[in-house]
Amino acid sequence: MSAIHATRPGRLKKTATDPQAELAQRCLYFMTLMREVEDRIERKLYRQGKIVGGVYVGRGQEAIPVGSALVADPEDVLFPCHRDMAVFFIRGVPLGRIFAQYMGRADGITRGREGNMHMGDLKLNLVSIVSALAATVPVAAGAALALRYQGKKGICFSYFGDGATSRGDWHEGVNFAAVQKAGVVFICNNNQYAYSTPLNLQMACENVADRGPAYGIPAEIVDGNDVFAVYQATQRAAEHARAGKGPYLIECKTFRMTGHSAHDAAHYVPAGMFDEWGKLDPITRLEAKMIENGWAAQSDIDEGRARIHREIDEAVAWAEKSPYPDPSTLLDDVYES
Ligand SMILES: Cc1ncc(C[n+]2csc(CCOP(=O)(O)OP(=O)(O)O)c2C)c(N)n1
Ligand SMILES: [Mg+2]
């Protein structure tokens, strides 16, 4: 394969020097990229039968991975979950490799061993999700401890959904991190459903953040559809963790604007909820804010989206040229040799 299509933060307006405008432009780029990449995967490539595994998207939740991962330093170790695609872009994973991953090709991140988001790259300090819910939460706590033992200054970012917080692993991991004062930013996307189970049927407290004080750690609730709110909360949390004060829990209230996965029509979601939450779309809100503040004109936003479409077309074409892995390599890297 020749060129790999690296993701690059687009600039909507070359003249912007205001740091807020600059941040807004980066956020909009990554949020739009995530929306459009996931749309291409779920609504086109999956339906064309080109995707090897299941498809889980973070439509409507883009502000959470973007607002948080933009705070991370390169030495921080990130543990994204299944609706956090933008974390991969922000860390610099080339777009073509993401498409190749979903299509099970040799140039995918797992070199064709996997067909969706179970992917990581330790060179970029990105740890793959473990499919069992919350299983990476104790791993993130341990990794933060390891960073401290090694005298490194990084902290960990641990991502999960509301449902994961009802699993035993989550409680053990958060408790361990709290007791050890390990530097972990715990980031919950509370999208109000765990597959078809609504929040009130899987936990008896009102907020995920209510669980923080039980472990002696600070916890706050933020509007998960407001990328600036997520960014600022993550800055507070990261500052706390970097200062050696231990973990910090952020609950981002949001809504899953789709079924659990591409094969789920979500008939169990009460009528009207998609419309209600659609009005709070994080990308539309950011665009409106940018126009209101003079950070971008509608034409800049339209151009940015068109550029992203071109970037995606190129990346898909690149990924489609990648071969499937040679069956003789199937067990490579599976067993220690
Ligand atoms: C231990 C375990 N049980 C069930 C599943 C199947 N499963 C995968 S994602 C999911 C729902 C997760 O809900 P939540 O944590 O709220 O994340 P969301 O999908 O809403 O982002 C379920 C039940 C699993 N992966 N692991
Ligand atoms: Mg959920």
Side-chain angles (χ1 to χ4, degrees), residues 59-73:
R59 186 173 305 119
Q61 305 185 189
E62 294 87 351
I64 300 165
V66 172
S68 55
L70 282 176
V71 173
D73 290 335

Side-chain angles (χ1 to χ4, degrees), residues 104-107 110-113 323-335:
R105 308 303 177 104
D107 290 289
T110 59
R111 301 195 299 285
R113 269 57 175 178
Y324 289 104
D326 184 334
S328 69
T329 66
L330 196 66
L331 295 180
D332 288 2
D333 307 324
V334 175
Y335 299 103

Side-chain angles (χ1 to χ4, degrees), residues 74-236:
E75 60 269 27
D76 296 335
V77 184
L78 275 57
F79 294 73
C81 204
H82 53 287
R83 304 197 198 278
D84 300 313
M85 168 84 86
V87 171
F88 292 87
F89 306 146
I90 291 171
R91 295 304 270 198
V93 175
L95 201 48
R97 296 203 67 194
I98 303 265
F99 284 113
Q101 169 77 12
Y102 275 79
M103 292 194 272
R105 308 303 177 104
D107 290 289
I109 298 164
T110 59
R111 301 195 299 285
R113 269 57 175 178
E114 220 285 328
N116 54 35
M117 74 287 171
H118 301 97
M119 55 187 179
D121 186 342
L122 292 181
K123 289 192 283 306
L124 298 173
N125 282 334
L126 267 179
V127 181
S128 171
I129 182 178
V130 176
S131 210
L133 287 177
T136 46
V137 173
V139 181
L145 208 52
L147 288 169
R148 186 199 297 158
Y149 283 146
Q150 291 167 349
K152 295 184 178 163
K153 66 184 180 110
I155 56 171
C156 293
F157 286 53
S158 168
Y159 293 84
F160 42 80
D162 45 283
T165 73
S166 296
R167 289 264 308 144
D169 289 9
W170 187 86
H171 293 269
E172 288 181 35
V174 173
N175 183 60
F176 183 68
V179 169
Q180 296 290 337
K181 291 212 177 302
V184 189
V185 177
F186 291 114
I187 302 159
C188 177
N189 88 68
N190 180 351
N191 62 11
Q192 327 218 15
Y193 278 89
Y195 208 138
S196 54
T197 307
L199 214 52
N200 65 317
L201 294 183
Q202 62 96 357
M203 63 183 212
C205 48
E206 198 181 336
N207 306 295
V208 169
D210 297 344
R211 295 178 158 172
Y215 294 104
I217 66 170
E220 65 170 293
I221 297 172
V222 297
D223 177 348
N225 286 21
D226 175 347
V227 72
F228 276 85
V230 175
Y231 184 83
Q232 286 155 8
T234 311
Q235 279 184 317
R236 286 189 288 276

Side-chain angles (χ1 to χ4, degrees), residues 17-30:
T17 47
D18 174 353
Q20 291 277 94
E22 187 84 17
L23 177 63
Q25 288 170 3
R26 294 188 75 207
C27 289
L28 184 62
Y29 171 75
F30 285 118

Side-chain angles (χ1 to χ4, degrees), residues 301-325:
I301 291 170
D302 296 342
E303 267 171 44
R305 191 176 296 269
R307 252 196 321 271
I308 283 174
H309 286 157
R310 287 196 295 276
E311 224 181 303
I312 290 174
D313 289 342
E314 279 176 30
V316 171
W318 180 86
E320 291 204 81
K321 282 192 203 119
S322 175
Y324 289 104

